[in-house]
Amino acid sequence: MKLHFASILANFVLSNIDAAQPKLSPLRSRAVVDYLIEAEASKPSKATSSTKADLQDVNVYHASFEDKGSFRMEIGPDGRASFNVDLTGLGPLRDEGVTSLAWHLHSGKIGGGATFDAAGAEACGVGFTADHYDPYLACGPASTAPLCSDTTATECCPLKGDNGIISYCRSSNVATCEVGDLSGRYGTIDVIEEDTHDVVASSIVLPEEGGYCPGCRNDFLPDATKTDGSALHNTWASIVFHNTNGGARVLCADIELKD
């Protein structure tokens, strides 16, 4: 699934939760159903208008890619979230044949600054940013959560990814996607060349229909202690962009909570 962006940007929803969606795999249905129940309970009544206090209580998160642009994420007190990606100067990516980017919230930090490398940036790797934020154990192939066979922890993945038992992250049922798998939920971002000959990528995801992530504000990792890949699956701290062809991590930055 791809999203095409030019001067007009498509609007998407953080989560398309639908009770009529296909049943989940028994191996992970409990965790996901708990999430859906929590999300549904968090939704405000349609008859209730947002108060000024609600608007002031929106958490704003930001990641700077220096001369490559920025990422912005807003989460309200009820869990409603929106994203804005604005990247530029991506010519080296096109030179390497990169035509689209996957984008994810990762559990760990790179430890300061932003990193860009069209061939793959070491500081964006699993040894720093770990893998995908996955608080409800959707257990995709890149979930930070450990396999149960590798740990004694109670929160773990029996299996990961598409393996004939778990059907991971289908567009018809985005509730099966990791919370941090933003491209799995909303689509990859095309890398395009504008009339100015600048190579850019941009995306806006708005919660117009009500997109909810009830625990996301509490799961943000604000300090820089988890820069060694040891962050847990129920934290998020950085944004990472991957080449959709091969998965190389080409651009990343730590996320900060703005005052």
Side-chain angles (χ1 to χ4, degrees), residues 1-5 10-16 35 71 73 79-83 85 101-105 169-171 174 177-190 203-207 210-213 216:
M1 177 176 63
K2 288 189 176 181
L3 310 179
H4 299 282
F5 300 91
N11 292 338
F12 289 81
V13 182
L14 174 64
S15 180
N16 181 16
Y35 162 59
F71 167 82
M73 177 178 180
R80 291 166 63 98
S82 65
F83 307 89
V85 177
L101 298 171
W103 49 309
H104 311 115
L105 293 177
C169 201
R170 293 287 181 258
S171 58
V174 296
C177 302
E178 299 148 348
V179 175
D181 186 356
L182 303 182
S183 51
R185 287 172 172 264
Y186 316 117
T188 56
I189 303 175
D190 282 346
S203 169
I204 292 179
V205 178
L206 299 173
Y212 292 83
C213 182
C216 285

Side-chain angles (χ1 to χ4, degrees), residues 22-96:
K23 291 184 179 180
L24 304 174
S25 162
L27 284 176
R28 59 192 172 80
S29 60
R30 182 69 266 158
V32 178
V33 168
D34 286 345
Y35 162 59
L36 297 183
I37 291 173
E38 183 181 0
E40 190 65 32
S42 300
K43 291 185 179 182
S45 168
K46 290 184 178 180
T48 303
S49 60
S50 297
T51 65
K52 185 174 182 180
D54 289 337
L55 295 176
Q56 291 176 338
D57 197 29
V58 171
N59 283 9
V60 178
Y61 304 89
H62 181 267
S64 173
F65 304 110
E66 300 171 355
D67 62 339
K68 299 301 181 202
S70 63
F71 167 82
R72 180 184 175 93
M73 177 178 180
E74 297 184 5
I75 306 178
D78 57 358
R80 291 166 63 98
S82 65
F83 307 89
N84 190 343
V85 177
D86 185 10
L87 304 180
T88 189
L90 303 181
L93 293 183
R94 290 300 296 268
D95 293 343
E96 291 287 333

Side-chain angles (χ1 to χ4, degrees), residues 17 59 109 151 183 186 194:
I17 298 173
N59 283 9
K109 288 180 171 286
T151 183
S183 51
Y186 316 117
E194 290 193 327

